[in-house]
Amino acid sequence: LGPITSGIILVSIYSNQRKQSWMEAYKNVALAPIRFQDRWQTVRNLISAPCSEEVAFRACLVGPLLATRQQWSPIVVSWLAPLWFGTAHVHHAYLKFRQGLPMGRLVVMTMFQFTYTTLFGAYAAYAYIRTASLPAIIVCHAFCNYMGLPNLAVFQQQMYRNYRWILVIAYGAGIIGFILGFSTLLPDSDLLQDLVV
């Protein structure tokens, strides 16, 4: 909720400053990440990566983990499956190493990326177990890639000073909603059977 709220505030500020309609400001602000990326990078981030990663790390991994002899619960599988997803993103460390990034910073960045990709993977695995809908998870993944990581710098930017309390509430509600989402009821056994087969 935090990044969406900060985006809405930014579009509103931009609209007022430029005397533009809200829709025109939205096109200039919210769609800027797509317009300023390389076309193939956009295709990779919004189409190729979500499709291939969700097929590999959700559709091909969650079902077999649910069907193991260990009888892991859906919650355990939701946290176990994403470890492979997080590990698959560690290769970015090699790219940064070749670019000359200092080792200390490289380790911190790699651990941070492993953590947030694993957290997203846990959410995606859990949502996949609850819905058994691969297309829904692919769309969710593409949306998260579009939004990127939360920009916590908005709390220090002058243009957001009048909106900080709204942002604190939105970020807090998003974090609480994420945590509470894992404690909701699990899907019925018929849906789990569809994933296992």
Side-chain angles (χ1 to χ4, degrees), residues 74-75 78-79 122-123 126-127 130 175-187:
I75 297 291
S78 293
W79 287 102
Y123 169 77
Y126 186 72
R130 289 202 30 98
I175 291 167
I176 290 168
F178 179 80
I179 293 168
L180 292 177
F182 280 102
S183 65
T184 59
L185 297 173
L186 290 170

Side-chain angles (χ1 to χ4, degrees), residues 50 54 58 120 123-125 127-128 131 133-142:
E54 294 310 319
R58 250 55 77 196
F120 172 77
Y123 169 77
Y128 179 63
T131 65
S133 174
L134 188 61
I137 305 308
I138 290 171
V139 169
C140 177
H141 190 146

Side-chain angles (χ1 to χ4, degrees), residues 62-73 76-77 80 196:
V62 169
L65 286 173
L66 286 170
T68 61
R69 290 180 183 240
Q70 282 83 5
Q71 300 286 315
W72 285 324
S73 73
V76 170
V77 170
L80 185 61
V196 171

Side-chain angles (χ1 to χ4, degrees), residues 93-135:
Y94 177 72
L95 300 174
K96 297 293 183 187
F97 175 75
R98 294 212 34 194
Q99 292 173 356
L101 197 69
M103 190 55 72
R105 194 163 170 218
L106 181 70
V107 169
V108 169
M109 284 179 64
T110 302
M111 291 307 299
F112 181 72
Q113 185 168 28
F114 174 79
T115 301
Y116 79 75
T117 53
T118 301
L119 282 173
F120 172 77
Y123 169 77
Y126 186 72
Y128 179 63
I129 290 169
R130 289 202 30 98
T131 65
S133 174
L134 188 61

Side-chain angles (χ1 to χ4, degrees), residues 1-131:
L1 290 178
I4 293 171
T5 304
S6 63
I8 290 169
I9 292 170
L10 180 60
V11 168
S12 298
I13 292 170
Y14 193 86
S15 172
N16 289 335
Q17 287 177 346
R18 306 278 171 131
K19 305 292 187 244
Q20 293 180 329
S21 71
W22 204 88
M23 187 51 84
E24 211 169 305
Y26 172 80
K27 289 177 187 173
N28 289 326
V29 175
L31 299 180
I34 293 175
R35 282 202 317 267
F36 295 119
Q37 278 184 355
D38 173 55
R39 177 178 296 163
W40 293 112
Q41 185 179 5
T42 301
V43 169
R44 181 198 66 199
N45 291 344
L46 302 181
I47 299 169
S48 300
C51 290
S52 61
E53 290 176 356
E54 294 310 319
V55 167
F57 296 107
R58 250 55 77 196
C60 293
L61 198 58
V62 169
L65 286 173
L66 286 170
T68 61
R69 290 180 183 240
Q70 282 83 5
Q71 300 286 315
W72 285 324
S73 73
I75 297 291
V76 170
V77 170
S78 293
W79 287 102
L80 185 61
L83 294 175
W84 283 281
F85 181 67
T87 302
H89 288 80
V90 171
H91 76 279
H92 293 285
Y94 177 72
L95 300 174
K96 297 293 183 187
F97 175 75
R98 294 212 34 194
Q99 292 173 356
L101 197 69
M103 190 55 72
R105 194 163 170 218
L106 181 70
V107 169
V108 169
M109 284 179 64
T110 302
M111 291 307 299
F112 181 72
Q113 185 168 28
F114 174 79
T115 301
Y116 79 75
T117 53
T118 301
L119 282 173
F120 172 77
Y123 169 77
Y126 186 72
Y128 179 63
I129 290 169
R130 289 202 30 98
T131 65

